Amino acid sequence: MKTDTNKPLAFRRYPSTTALQCFETAARHLSFTNAAQEMHMTQSAISKQVAQLEEMLNLSLFYRTPHRISLTPAGKVYYLEVLEILKHIEVATTNLMSHSSNTELLKIVSHPTFCARWLIPALSGFSQKYPLINLDIKELAGPFFSEDQNVDIAFLYGDGMWSNMEAIKLFDEYCVAVCQPQYLRDKTLSTECINDYVLLQISSRLSAWYEYFKQQDISVDGTFVGPRFETFHACISAALLGYGIALVPLRLVEPELQSGALVLAWDYAAKGRGSYYVTYPVASGQSHKVKAVLEWITAYLAISDEREKALGLVL
């Protein structure tokens, strides 16, 4: 007899956490014996918990033979769902136990390369000044941040227009062509010999090189042939290894230019279509933790701008 899914929530039956843990462990190992060892229980106890779970669900989760077990189609689907549930319980419990009652959790999202190369250096020292604000930073390539996500603040690239969001412009994007110094050896560095170079590309910006040369009134025929990468971080790494010339945002490659690990292939910076912003839900603008990080980022920008002026990198 199948469970009536139309019953009110209060009358539904739910499996115990122990039963879910026993099922997840057995499904992962495909062995009641190994699951019992991991759970520090007897094999019969694991088997009983799983059997009671199957009885409650009125479904078979495992095929059983004398020598092995395997997941049924329903068991495979349920395993993935249970795995996520147990992960959520673990994260929620760990967060609650590790944070005292007077601390706040600041949830941040950012594009991956921007996060690693700009945001994390920018937030260095923040936790020392604000010990009661715990940072939870997540990298997201997409979809773009929206107000319905459980996030306090986001660092994004775009036009600054996000529904029901406040957006504060950090800086415009200027892209420069960079490569390993040795890559230029025995090469005539001229925009008239574009086909002689390997131009590294970003999968999401396949027209970037065309725009770079168009802004310089350089006509380019044909298509660019070169390795494609998912992120600027991967593209910069490839340039460091001598794969070719990468077209990347100046702000994200400053350390390599300062150290000499990379050099400018052409002395030109192309203005991007978008800019970098710090954004947050309108309703969160007055919260202490959001104000704290905004003030911190503003101060960091002032210092970094002065540093760039001294290095002659401001555009």
Side-chain angles (χ1 to χ4, degrees):
M1 181 176 180
K2 293 189 178 295
T3 305
D4 183 0
T5 57
N6 293 318
K7 286 183 179 180
L9 185 64
F11 294 97
R12 289 182 177 174
R13 297 176 59 199
Y14 295 98
S16 68
T17 306
T18 300
L20 294 179
Q21 288 177 304
C22 289
F23 165 68
E24 185 278 329
T25 309
R28 178 159 36 86
H29 290 290
L30 291 179
S31 167
F32 289 141
T33 301
N34 292 341
Q37 292 175 351
E38 181 175 323
M39 295 286 292
H40 301 289
M41 297 170 65
T42 64
Q43 180 179 343
S44 61
I46 294 287
S47 182
K48 183 177 180 180
Q49 287 285 341
V50 173
Q52 289 175 345
L53 180 60
E54 291 176 316
E55 182 180 356
M56 193 206 75
L57 296 172
N58 197 24
L59 287 169
S60 294
L61 300 174
F62 290 102
Y63 294 122
R64 293 167 173 82
T65 66
H67 302 292
R68 64 188 298 270
I69 61 173
S70 58
L71 287 166
T72 64
K76 291 179 181 179
V77 173
Y78 196 53
Y79 169 70
L80 296 176
E81 296 288 347
V82 168
L83 191 60
E84 286 302 310
I85 291 170
L86 293 176
K87 284 181 180 178
H88 282 304
I89 293 174
E90 180 183 13
V91 170
T93 303
T94 302
N95 285 341
L96 189 61
M97 293 175 66
S98 61
H99 298 155
S100 60
S101 59
N102 61 342
T103 60
E104 298 179 276
L105 184 65
L106 181 66
K107 295 185 177 181
I108 301 174
V109 297
S110 171
H111 292 299
T113 305
F114 186 84
C115 180
R117 291 186 159 264
W118 192 88
L119 181 58
I120 291 177
L123 291 175
S124 176
F126 179 86
S127 296
Q128 284 71 38
K129 183 173 182 179
Y130 298 97
L132 299 182
I133 300 178
N134 294 292
L135 301 179
D136 183 358
I137 303 174
K138 180 180 293 185
E139 295 176 308
L140 287 179
F144 292 125
F145 177 63
S146 60
E147 62 171 336
D148 59 345
Q149 289 179 300
N150 186 21
V151 172
D152 297 306
I153 200 164
F155 292 82
L156 303 176
Y157 175 81
D159 58 8
M161 303 298 292
W162 289 278
S163 177
N164 297 319
M165 303 289 294
E166 288 286 350
I168 300 174
K169 185 176 176 179
L170 297 173
F171 42 77
D172 291 320
E173 180 186 71
Y174 285 90
C175 289
V176 292
V178 298
C179 61
Q180 186 188 70
Q182 291 183 344
Y183 182 79
L184 299 179
R185 289 183 179 178
D186 303 322
K187 291 183 175 64
T188 301
L189 194 59
S190 169
T191 53
E192 297 177 357
C193 305
I194 295 171
N195 293 331
D196 294 339
Y197 315 123
V198 176
L199 303 182
L200 310 181
Q201 301 177 65
I202 299 294
S203 299
S204 60
R205 298 194 187 189
L206 295 180
S207 63
W209 278 111
Y210 288 100
E211 294 176 6
Y212 176 80
F213 291 118
K214 183 179 180 181
Q215 288 187 26
Q216 302 176 70
D217 295 323
I218 298 173
S219 178
V220 178
D221 297 323
T223 58
F224 296 116
V225 178
R228 294 180 182 179
F229 300 91
E230 190 69 23
T231 65
F232 283 125
H233 183 75
C235 200
I236 292 170
S237 297
L240 286 167
L241 292 171
Y243 276 52
I245 302 175
L247 184 62
V248 296
L250 172 60
R251 295 261 185 175
L252 304 186
V253 78
E254 284 180 5
E256 287 77 13
L257 290 174
Q258 293 173 24
S259 69
L262 292 175
V263 296
L264 294 176
W266 294 287
D267 190 17
Y268 182 80
K271 192 175 188 304
R273 295 183 178 182
S275 303
Y276 290 93
Y277 292 84
V278 55
T279 71
Y280 54 90
V282 174
S284 302
Q286 296 305 311
S287 74
H288 167 69
K289 58 186 179 181
V290 170
K291 283 185 174 180
V293 77
L294 291 177
E295 291 175 1
W296 182 271
I297 291 299
T298 299
Y300 178 81
L301 277 173
I303 295 172
S304 61
D305 285 346
E306 288 300 318
R307 185 174 64 246
E308 289 171 2
K309 287 180 182 178
L311 293 170
L313 295 174
V314 173
L315 301 170

